Amino acid sequence: MPSTPTPPILLEIRDAIARITLNRPEQANVLNDETGQAFIGVVRQVAGAWARGEVRAVLLAAKGPHFCAGGDIRGFVAADNIAELLDRTIPPLHEAIHTLSTLPVPVVSAVNGSLGGGGIGIALCADLVIASRSMKLRGGYSAIALSPDVGVSWALTRLVGPMRAKHILFTNQPLDAQQCLAAGLVAEVHDDDALMPAAEALVQSLAQGATGSLARIKSLVDQAARHTLHEQLAQEHLGMVACGASADAREGVTAFVQKRAPRFGRKA
């Protein structure tokens, strides 16, 4: 009997958490045509599950010792036309990144080992990034005469500022986990064997939180840099009133007064 091909991206939805796992460990989870198509297929499933009220948080992780080393450079070498290959490969990855970045639930990425090229965009599209001590980030694009994709230029600039982003991308000097923590690229650093337990604990805690509150926080923080103070205050006003009308707000304040853990529901 022929063996069933192993999918390059795995998806499990359980306990209101969508777990997306890069699954090419032998190739350091590098990105190619097949991976991009699989990734957007999985992300669309997650978005559909969220719309049905089945997902309250997302966890991005990877099989093997490396999260994602970037694009499949061996595939570039084998291609007759690198530009045509990139033109075909990039759109599904970009759709997936945009969908995950704007999904109104917390997205957590657990990053271990090598993180390069487009893998940076996948990791940093999350709201919270936690890393293992073995994690090492390296831009890599300019070393092969290419420019950033998968949201890398956007995420780095937003998180560390334009000059630091250029330094990372111009020089390709690697940053270890502690340097990434200091730069604001990751929120937590854990021992390698503690990374996934920490990621699971974090995403489970978020999945049990007040969905509407977390969605508003995500939206407000992500839009803040594009707003004037007046615009941001207006959005905060609207958000607070909308949250205040929710059953979760009533439950939250009641639980606080009663000194018990709140029991939040699905609806905002």
Side-chain angles (χ1 to χ4, degrees):
M1 294 289 291
S3 59
T4 303
T6 303
I9 307 288
L10 304 176
L11 173 63
E12 179 190 31
I13 298 176
R14 175 171 47 86
D15 300 329
I17 299 168
R19 296 169 176 84
I20 301 173
T21 306
L22 307 184
N23 189 38
R24 300 183 71 208
E26 297 82 3
Q27 292 82 34
N29 293 306
V30 294
L31 306 173
N32 60 9
D33 256 347
E34 181 188 9
T35 303
Q37 293 295 335
F39 192 39
I40 185 54
V42 160
V43 170
R44 286 169 179 165
Q45 289 181 60
V46 172
W50 169 81
R52 296 189 298 272
E54 298 167 3
V55 169
R56 295 169 64 94
V58 177
L59 175 61
L60 293 168
K63 292 282 188 182
H66 302 290
F67 184 85
C68 178
D72 186 357
I73 298 177
R74 294 182 186 277
F76 298 164
V77 171
D80 293 330
N81 188 313
I82 295 174
E84 287 182 0
L85 173 63
L86 292 169
D87 195 34
R88 182 175 67 247
T89 303
I90 288 172
L93 289 169
H94 282 193
E95 181 185 338
I97 291 299
H98 185 269
T99 301
L100 282 174
S101 296
T102 56
L103 197 67
V105 298
V107 178
V108 175
S109 61
V111 182
N112 58 303
S114 297
L115 181 64
I120 299 171
I122 293 176
L124 299 189
C125 82
D127 302 298
L128 297 174
V129 183
I130 67 173
S132 71
R133 298 196 189 282
S134 67
M135 176 261 203
K136 188 163 288 187
L137 182 150
R138 180 177 181 271
Y141 289 102
S142 63
I144 55 174
L146 294 176
S147 62
D149 61 350
V150 199
V152 172
S153 61
W154 183 84
L156 286 177
T157 303
R158 182 170 61 97
L159 292 171
V160 303
M163 186 177 297
R164 189 68 184 272
K166 289 174 187 174
H167 190 267
I168 291 169
L169 295 168
F170 282 176
T171 69
N172 299 308
Q173 292 180 8
L175 300 178
D176 64 24
Q178 287 298 327
Q179 289 172 311
C180 287
L181 180 65
L185 290 166
V186 305
E188 301 175 8
V189 175
H190 297 273
D191 291 337
D192 285 26
D193 59 357
L195 175 64
M196 289 312 298
E200 282 288 345
L202 176 58
V203 79
Q204 287 173 21
S205 172
L206 293 169
Q208 294 168 8
T211 303
S213 170
L214 296 176
R216 289 284 179 173
I217 291 168
K218 178 171 180 169
S219 176
L220 284 166
V221 173
D222 286 348
Q223 294 177 24
R226 301 192 295 272
H227 286 166
T228 65
L229 175 58
H230 181 75
E231 290 168 338
Q232 190 72 2
L233 290 171
Q235 289 301 309
E236 288 187 347
H237 180 182
L238 291 173
M240 192 67 135
V241 172
C243 286
S246 70
D248 274 352
R250 176 61 60 187
E251 166 63 11
V253 297
T254 301
F256 182 87
V257 170
Q258 295 179 351
K259 295 182 170 52
R260 61 172 173 83
R263 297 181 290 273
F264 295 124
R266 170 65 178 88
K267 296 299 181 182

